[in-house]
PDB file of all heavy atoms in Angstrom:
ATOM      1  N   PHE A  22     110.533 103.692  92.131  1.00 78.00           N
ATOM      2  CA  PHE A  22     110.561 103.298  90.726  1.00 78.00           C
ATOM      3  C   PHE A  22     110.549 101.783  90.683  1.00 78.00           C
ATOM      4  O   PHE A  22     111.319 101.134  91.388  1.00 78.00           O
ATOM      5  CB  PHE A  22     111.829 103.792  90.033  1.00 78.00           C
ATOM      6  CG  PHE A  22     111.873 105.270  89.811  1.00 78.00           C
ATOM      7  CD1 PHE A  22     113.071 105.932  89.779  1.00 78.00           C
ATOM      8  CD2 PHE A  22     110.718 105.998  89.616  1.00 78.00           C
ATOM      9  CE1 PHE A  22     113.138 107.299  89.550  1.00 78.00           C
ATOM     10  CE2 PHE A  22     110.758 107.362  89.386  1.00 78.00           C
ATOM     11  CZ  PHE A  22     111.965 108.005  89.361  1.00 78.00           C
ATOM     12  N   PRO A  36     107.260 102.177  84.220  1.00 88.00           N
ATOM     13  CA  PRO A  36     107.440 102.740  82.875  1.00 88.00           C
ATOM     14  C   PRO A  36     106.126 102.757  82.094  1.00 88.00           C
ATOM     15  O   PRO A  36     105.199 102.007  82.386  1.00 88.00           O
ATOM     16  CB  PRO A  36     108.433 101.791  82.208  1.00 88.00           C
ATOM     17  CG  PRO A  36     108.970 100.924  83.265  1.00 88.00           C
ATOM     18  CD  PRO A  36     108.032 100.951  84.404  1.00 88.00           C
ATOM     19  N   PHE A  37     106.098 103.598  81.080  1.00 88.00           N
ATOM     20  CA  PHE A  37     104.960 103.589  80.165  1.00 88.00           C
ATOM     21  C   PHE A  37     104.992 102.296  79.363  1.00 88.00           C
ATOM     22  O   PHE A  37     106.064 101.825  78.984  1.00 88.00           O
ATOM     23  CB  PHE A  37     105.028 104.793  79.216  1.00 88.00           C
ATOM     24  CG  PHE A  37     104.714 106.091  79.884  1.00 88.00           C
ATOM     25  CD1 PHE A  37     105.731 106.935  80.307  1.00 88.00           C
ATOM     26  CD2 PHE A  37     103.397 106.478  80.106  1.00 88.00           C
ATOM     27  CE1 PHE A  37     105.449 108.129  80.928  1.00 88.00           C
ATOM     28  CE2 PHE A  37     103.104 107.683  80.736  1.00 88.00           C
ATOM     29  CZ  PHE A  37     104.134 108.510  81.153  1.00 88.00           C
ATOM     30  N   ARG A  39     104.916  99.697  76.419  1.00 81.00           N
ATOM     31  CA  ARG A  39     105.381  99.755  75.030  1.00 81.00           C
ATOM     32  C   ARG A  39     104.389  99.094  74.071  1.00 81.00           C
ATOM     33  O   ARG A  39     104.701  98.858  72.927  1.00 81.00           O
ATOM     34  CB  ARG A  39     106.742  99.092  74.913  1.00 81.00           C
ATOM     35  CG  ARG A  39     107.790  99.870  75.665  1.00 81.00           C
ATOM     36  CD  ARG A  39     109.152  99.284  75.476  1.00 81.00           C
ATOM     37  NE  ARG A  39     110.126 100.091  76.167  1.00 81.00           N
ATOM     38  CZ  ARG A  39     111.246  99.631  76.663  1.00 81.00           C
ATOM     39  NH1 ARG A  39     111.542  98.365  76.540  1.00 81.00           N
ATOM     40  NH2 ARG A  39     112.075 100.426  77.285  1.00 81.00           N
ATOM     41  N   LEU A  43     104.576 105.373  71.868  1.00 93.00           N
ATOM     42  CA  LEU A  43     104.847 106.331  72.935  1.00 93.00           C
ATOM     43  C   LEU A  43     105.224 107.684  72.352  1.00 93.00           C
ATOM     44  O   LEU A  43     105.830 107.774  71.287  1.00 93.00           O
ATOM     45  CB  LEU A  43     105.985 105.829  73.820  1.00 93.00           C
ATOM     46  CG  LEU A  43     105.784 104.497  74.526  1.00 93.00           C
ATOM     47  CD1 LEU A  43     107.024 104.145  75.334  1.00 93.00           C
ATOM     48  CD2 LEU A  43     104.563 104.533  75.419  1.00 93.00           C
ATOM     49  N   THR A  44     104.897 108.733  73.096  1.00 94.00           N
ATOM     50  CA  THR A  44     105.339 110.069  72.703  1.00 94.00           C
ATOM     51  C   THR A  44     106.824 110.195  73.009  1.00 94.00           C
ATOM     52  O   THR A  44     107.398 109.376  73.738  1.00 94.00           O
ATOM     53  CB  THR A  44     104.570 111.163  73.471  1.00 94.00           C
ATOM     54  OG1 THR A  44     104.922 111.072  74.858  1.00 94.00           O
ATOM     55  CG2 THR A  44     103.067 111.027  73.302  1.00 94.00           C
ATOM     56  N   ALA A  45     107.452 111.215  72.490  1.00 95.00           N
ATOM     57  CA  ALA A  45     108.875 111.446  72.760  1.00 95.00           C
ATOM     58  C   ALA A  45     109.122 111.634  74.256  1.00 95.00           C
ATOM     59  O   ALA A  45     110.113 111.139  74.801  1.00 95.00           O
ATOM     60  CB  ALA A  45     109.371 112.663  71.981  1.00 95.00           C
ATOM     61  N   GLU A  46     108.208 112.331  74.931  1.00 95.00           N
ATOM     62  CA  GLU A  46     108.352 112.559  76.375  1.00 95.00           C
ATOM     63  C   GLU A  46     108.244 111.246  77.152  1.00 95.00           C
ATOM     64  O   GLU A  46     108.986 111.016  78.107  1.00 95.00           O
ATOM     65  CB  GLU A  46     107.289 113.541  76.887  1.00 95.00           C
ATOM     66  CG  GLU A  46     107.448 114.955  76.387  1.00 95.00           C
ATOM     67  CD  GLU A  46     106.818 115.174  75.014  1.00 95.00           C
ATOM     68  OE1 GLU A  46     106.084 114.286  74.509  1.00 95.00           O
ATOM     69  OE2 GLU A  46     107.079 116.238  74.430  1.00 95.00           O
ATOM     70  N   GLU A  47     107.340 110.367  76.742  1.00 93.00           N
ATOM     71  CA  GLU A  47     107.186 109.081  77.420  1.00 93.00           C
ATOM     72  C   GLU A  47     108.413 108.199  77.204  1.00 93.00           C
ATOM     73  O   GLU A  47     108.882 107.540  78.141  1.00 93.00           O
ATOM     74  CB  GLU A  47     105.921 108.373  76.931  1.00 93.00           C
ATOM     75  CG  GLU A  47     104.644 109.055  77.380  1.00 93.00           C
ATOM     76  CD  GLU A  47     103.395 108.507  76.704  1.00 93.00           C
ATOM     77  OE1 GLU A  47     103.501 107.922  75.594  1.00 93.00           O
ATOM     78  OE2 GLU A  47     102.307 108.674  77.283  1.00 93.00           O
ATOM     79  N   ARG A  48     108.953 108.195  75.990  1.00 93.00           N
ATOM     80  CA  ARG A  48     110.177 107.422  75.729  1.00 93.00           C
ATOM     81  C   ARG A  48     111.342 107.955  76.553  1.00 93.00           C
ATOM     82  O   ARG A  48     112.117 107.190  77.118  1.00 93.00           O
ATOM     83  CB  ARG A  48     110.518 107.456  74.230  1.00 93.00           C
ATOM     84  CG  ARG A  48     109.650 106.557  73.388  1.00 93.00           C
ATOM     85  CD  ARG A  48     110.195 106.376  71.973  1.00 93.00           C
ATOM     86  NE  ARG A  48     110.417 107.629  71.265  1.00 93.00           N
ATOM     87  CZ  ARG A  48     109.500 108.288  70.569  1.00 93.00           C
ATOM     88  NH1 ARG A  48     108.279 107.803  70.482  1.00 93.00           N
ATOM     89  NH2 ARG A  48     109.793 109.416  69.962  1.00 93.00           N
ATOM     90  N   GLU A  49     111.472 109.276  76.648  1.00 95.00           N
ATOM     91  CA  GLU A  49     112.543 109.883  77.454  1.00 95.00           C
ATOM     92  C   GLU A  49     112.362 109.552  78.935  1.00 95.00           C
ATOM     93  O   GLU A  49     113.326 109.251  79.636  1.00 95.00           O
ATOM     94  CB  GLU A  49     112.572 111.395  77.243  1.00 95.00           C
ATOM     95  CG  GLU A  49     113.665 112.106  78.015  1.00 95.00           C
ATOM     96  CD  GLU A  49     115.067 111.620  77.674  1.00 95.00           C
ATOM     97  OE1 GLU A  49     115.298 111.166  76.528  1.00 95.00           O
ATOM     98  OE2 GLU A  49     115.932 111.676  78.558  1.00 95.00           O
ATOM     99  N   PHE A  50     111.114 109.588  79.422  1.00 92.00           N
ATOM    100  CA  PHE A  50     110.836 109.210  80.813  1.00 92.00           C
ATOM    101  C   PHE A  50     111.282 107.770  81.056  1.00 92.00           C
ATOM    102  O   PHE A  50     111.946 107.483  82.057  1.00 92.00           O
ATOM    103  CB  PHE A  50     109.345 109.367  81.122  1.00 92.00           C
ATOM    104  CG  PHE A  50     108.965 108.886  82.490  1.00 92.00           C
ATOM    105  CD1 PHE A  50     109.107 109.697  83.598  1.00 92.00           C
ATOM    106  CD2 PHE A  50     108.478 107.596  82.668  1.00 92.00           C
ATOM    107  CE1 PHE A  50     108.772 109.248  84.865  1.00 92.00           C
ATOM    108  CE2 PHE A  50     108.146 107.133  83.935  1.00 92.00           C
ATOM    109  CZ  PHE A  50     108.287 107.966  85.031  1.00 92.00           C
ATOM    110  N   ASN A  51     110.915 106.849  80.151  1.00 90.00           N
ATOM    111  CA  ASN A  51     111.299 105.438  80.306  1.00 90.00           C
ATOM    112  C   ASN A  51     112.816 105.275  80.301  1.00 90.00           C
ATOM    113  O   ASN A  51     113.365 104.508  81.100  1.00 90.00           O
ATOM    114  CB  ASN A  51     110.679 104.589  79.194  1.00 90.00           C
ATOM    115  CG  ASN A  51     109.216 104.280  79.435  1.00 90.00           C
ATOM    116  OD1 ASN A  51     108.645 104.628  80.470  1.00 90.00           O
ATOM    117  ND2 ASN A  51     108.587 103.628  78.466  1.00 90.00           N
ATOM    118  N   ARG A  52     113.525 106.007  79.431  1.00 91.00           N
ATOM    119  CA  ARG A  52     114.998 105.930  79.381  1.00 91.00           C
ATOM    120  C   ARG A  52     115.612 106.426  80.685  1.00 91.00           C
ATOM    121  O   ARG A  52     116.508 105.796  81.253  1.00 91.00           O
ATOM    122  CB  ARG A  52     115.533 106.746  78.209  1.00 91.00           C
ATOM    123  CG  ARG A  52     115.763 105.958  76.945  1.00 91.00           C
ATOM    124  CD  ARG A  52     116.582 106.756  75.942  1.00 91.00           C
ATOM    125  NE  ARG A  52     115.863 107.926  75.451  1.00 91.00           N
ATOM    126  CZ  ARG A  52     115.021 107.923  74.433  1.00 91.00           C
ATOM    127  NH1 ARG A  52     114.774 106.814  73.789  1.00 91.00           N
ATOM    128  NH2 ARG A  52     114.417 109.019  74.047  1.00 91.00           N
ATOM    129  N   THR A  53     115.138 107.573  81.152  1.00 90.00           N
ATOM    130  CA  THR A  53     115.673 108.143  82.395  1.00 90.00           C
ATOM    131  C   THR A  53     115.410 107.220  83.572  1.00 90.00           C
ATOM    132  O   THR A  53     116.299 106.951  84.388  1.00 90.00           O
ATOM    133  CB  THR A  53     115.044 109.526  82.652  1.00 90.00           C
ATOM    134  OG1 THR A  53     115.315 110.372  81.538  1.00 90.00           O
ATOM    135  CG2 THR A  53     115.586 110.154  83.923  1.00 90.00           C
ATOM    136  N   MET A  54     114.199 106.727  83.649  1.00 86.00           N
ATOM    137  CA  MET A  54     113.827 105.838  84.747  1.00 86.00           C
ATOM    138  C   MET A  54     114.644 104.545  84.705  1.00 86.00           C
ATOM    139  O   MET A  54     115.105 104.058  85.742  1.00 86.00           O
ATOM    140  CB  MET A  54     112.338 105.512  84.646  1.00 86.00           C
ATOM    141  CG  MET A  54     111.803 104.771  85.807  1.00 86.00           C
ATOM    142  SD  MET A  54     110.027 104.654  85.613  1.00 86.00           S
ATOM    143  CE  MET A  54     109.699 103.356  86.739  1.00 86.00           C
ATOM    144  N   SER A  55     114.871 104.018  83.522  1.00 86.00           N
ATOM    145  CA  SER A  55     115.654 102.796  83.378  1.00 86.00           C
ATOM    146  C   SER A  55     117.087 102.993  83.868  1.00 86.00           C
ATOM    147  O   SER A  55     117.638 102.141  84.562  1.00 86.00           O
ATOM    148  CB  SER A  55     115.660 102.351  81.918  1.00 86.00           C
ATOM    149  OG  SER A  55     116.475 101.230  81.745  1.00 86.00           O
ATOM    150  N   SER A  56     117.691 104.128  83.539  1.00 85.00           N
ATOM    151  CA  SER A  56     119.067 104.370  83.977  1.00 85.00           C
ATOM    152  C   SER A  56     119.144 104.526  85.493  1.00 85.00           C
ATOM    153  O   SER A  56     120.106 104.089  86.123  1.00 85.00           O
ATOM    154  CB  SER A  56     119.659 105.584  83.277  1.00 85.00           C
ATOM    155  OG  SER A  56     119.014 106.763  83.670  1.00 85.00           O
ATOM    156  N   MET A  57     118.127 105.134  86.104  1.00 81.00           N
ATOM    157  CA  MET A  57     118.106 105.259  87.571  1.00 81.00           C
ATOM    158  C   MET A  57     117.947 103.894  88.224  1.00 81.00           C
ATOM    159  O   MET A  57     118.622 103.580  89.200  1.00 81.00           O
ATOM    160  CB  MET A  57     116.967 106.174  88.013  1.00 81.00           C
ATOM    161  CG  MET A  57     117.189 107.609  87.708  1.00 81.00           C
ATOM    162  SD  MET A  57     115.762 108.530  88.310  1.00 81.00           S
ATOM    163  CE  MET A  57     116.158 110.147  87.720  1.00 81.00           C
ATOM    164  N   ARG A  58     117.060 103.079  87.697  1.00 80.00           N
ATOM    165  CA  ARG A  58     116.844 101.746  88.252  1.00 80.00           C
ATOM    166  C   ARG A  58     118.086 100.882  88.089  1.00 80.00           C
ATOM    167  O   ARG A  58     118.447 100.114  88.974  1.00 80.00           O
ATOM    168  CB  ARG A  58     115.652 101.060  87.576  1.00 80.00           C
ATOM    169  CG  ARG A  58     114.325 101.390  88.168  1.00 80.00           C
ATOM    170  CD  ARG A  58     113.179 100.484  87.729  1.00 80.00           C
ATOM    171  NE  ARG A  58     113.519  99.384  86.885  1.00 80.00           N
ATOM    172  CZ  ARG A  58     113.353  99.345  85.559  1.00 80.00           C
ATOM    173  NH1 ARG A  58     112.858 100.379  84.921  1.00 80.00           N
ATOM    174  NH2 ARG A  58     113.689  98.283  84.867  1.00 80.00           N
ATOM    175  N   GLN A  59     118.764 101.024  86.956  1.00 81.00           N
ATOM    176  CA  GLN A  59     119.934 100.195  86.686  1.00 81.00           C
ATOM    177  C   GLN A  59     121.021 100.404  87.740  1.00 81.00           C
ATOM    178  O   GLN A  59     121.567  99.433  88.263  1.00 81.00           O
ATOM    179  CB  GLN A  59     120.481 100.506  85.299  1.00 81.00           C
ATOM    180  CG  GLN A  59     121.640  99.631  84.894  1.00 81.00           C
ATOM    181  CD  GLN A  59     122.135  99.972  83.513  1.00 81.00           C
ATOM    182  OE1 GLN A  59     122.082 101.126  83.084  1.00 81.00           O
ATOM    183  NE2 GLN A  59     122.633  98.990  82.805  1.00 81.00           N
ATOM    184  N   SER A  60     121.315 101.646  88.070  1.00 78.00           N
ATOM    185  CA  SER A  60     122.381 101.889  89.058  1.00 78.00           C
ATOM    186  C   SER A  60     121.987 101.347  90.426  1.00 78.00           C
ATOM    187  O   SER A  60     122.823 100.797  91.144  1.00 78.00           O
ATOM    188  CB  SER A  60     122.719 103.370  89.132  1.00 78.00           C
ATOM    189  OG  SER A  60     121.603 104.125  89.529  1.00 78.00           O
TER     190      SER A  60
END
Side-chain angles (χ1 to χ4, degrees):
F22 289 151
F37 288 99
R39 294 184 178 151
L43 300 179
T44 66
E46 292 84 10
E47 291 170 337
R48 284 192 305 274
E49 181 59 29
F50 175 84
N51 282 356
R52 266 193 294 274
T53 302
M54 188 173 162
S55 176
S56 67
M57 288 181 185
R58 275 193 4 259
Q59 184 180 32
S60 61

